[in-house]
Amino acid sequence: SQQGEEDPQALSIQEGENATMNCSYKTSINNLQWYRQNSGRGLVHLILIRSNEREKHSGRLRVTLDTSKKSSSLLITASRAADTASYFCATDAVQAGTALIFGKGTTLSVSS
Amino acid sequence: DTAVSQTPKYLVTQMGNDKSIKCEQNLGHDTMYWYKQDSKKFLKIMFSYNNKELIINETVPNRFSPKSPDKAHLNLHINSLELGDSAVYFCASTEGQGLYEQYFGPGTRLTVT
């Protein structure tokens, strides 16, 4: 089945630096979403970008979507220790009904 | 107020047992899901219900049976538990038929010994 793939799998940065995570997917989508998962917790929705949008901002988050390359990126600016978490992209592929297809995630570690 | 709640949070049981995980959402959403997250953090859809009707049933052993008594609840029953069932199970909900953000519960960590 279709699946998103995040890159890199793990990322370690210092507080104040920017963190960029990439996601690629395989088939047509309605929208792409990014979620954060803190250790031992549930997933929290961060941002949703629709297939006809190219860029979206929310606070320190910036998401881009390139449907021609079937890829998306999540940029976290001025990172904080509290941003330490796993980040997942999820697509609702047209063929998949209403379920989300998740990538494997990027584990971000922000040290102070 | 808790939006999506699951019970129990932890479940340790022996192989062959039957167990249930409960999920409730107070968001008034129409669609609910069960996802399974394995030890490598890979999340995979198991079931999807819309207004108490089964919409998606991925390739899941028939030992797993979801039950939705009303649109605010989606419970997961697992019969004859196996070691490979050990994982974290997440319930989620969304409004309408999907295409919106999903709200996840805190997860239930199932350990089968």
Side-chain angles (χ1 to χ4, degrees):
Chain A
S1 62
Q2 180 226 315
Q3 176 180 336
E5 294 282 343
E6 283 93 339
D7 168 53
Q9 287 190 336
L11 181 61
S12 294
I13 59 174
Q14 299 283 324
E15 263 193 329
E17 294 180 338
N18 295 341
T20 300
M21 288 160 265
N22 303 297
C23 167
S24 60
Y25 57 92
K26 296 177 183 175
T27 62
S28 298
I29 61 171
N30 293 303
N31 65 55
L32 184 144
Q33 305 181 40
W34 285 90
Y35 287 81
R36 184 187 74 229
Q37 184 179 31
N38 289 86
S39 180
R41 307 289 292 274
L43 281 80
V44 174
H45 179 264
L46 294 176
I47 198 163
L48 181 153
I49 185 165
R50 301 205 182 278
S51 59
N52 61 354
E53 297 176 309
R54 292 298 168 256
E55 188 171 312
K56 205 161 183 180
H57 295 81
S58 176
R60 294 183 295 111
L61 305 180
R62 172 177 170 254
V63 167
T64 62
L65 178 64
D66 187 334
T67 52
S68 66
K69 295 181 179 178
K70 292 186 170 60
S71 67
S72 173
S73 67
L74 170 67
L75 168 67
I76 304 174
T77 60
S79 62
R80 306 166 181 167
D83 294 328
T84 295
S86 293
Y87 292 82
F88 295 88
C89 71
T91 55
D92 63 338
V94 171
Q95 300 89 331
T98 69
L100 290 176
I101 310 296
F102 283 87
K104 294 180 180 177
T106 293
T107 300
L108 174 65
S109 297
V110 182
S111 53
S112 53
Chain B
D1 285 346
T2 302
V4 182
S5 59
Q6 293 178 231
T7 54
K9 189 171 174 62
Y10 298 98
L11 184 53
V12 181
T13 188
Q14 292 185 328
M15 285 174 55
N17 285 347
D18 303 336
K19 291 292 178 184
S20 294
I21 306 171
K22 295 185 177 181
C23 177
E24 177 181 1
Q25 54 96 3
N26 62 6
L27 299 167
H29 287 165
D30 295 316
T31 305
M32 296 184 72
Y33 309 85
W34 277 108
Y35 291 88
K36 177 181 180 180
Q37 187 174 42
D38 63 23
S39 58
K40 296 182 180 180
K41 294 191 178 179
F42 178 52
L43 268 157
K44 187 172 181 181
I45 181 70
M46 298 176 69
F47 301 102
S48 168
Y49 269 72
N50 178 264
N51 275 317
K52 302 194 302 177
E53 288 190 24
L54 181 65
I55 302 297
I56 293 172
N57 183 352
E58 287 294 301
T59 307
V60 176
N62 57 15
R63 298 181 295 103
F64 290 78
S65 55
K67 286 184 172 58
S68 183
D70 55 62
K71 77 171 195 175
H73 296 84
L74 180 61
N75 304 322
L76 184 64
H77 302 275
I78 316 171
N79 296 323
S80 302
L81 278 155
E82 301 177 356
L83 292 176
D85 298 331
S86 295
V88 182
Y89 293 83
F90 287 98
C91 177
S93 72
T94 192
E95 60 181 289
Q97 293 267 353
L99 303 184
Y100 301 100
E101 63 183 279
Q102 295 191 8
Y103 292 78
F104 282 77
T108 295
R109 181 173 293 277
L110 171 65
T111 303
V112 183
T113 61

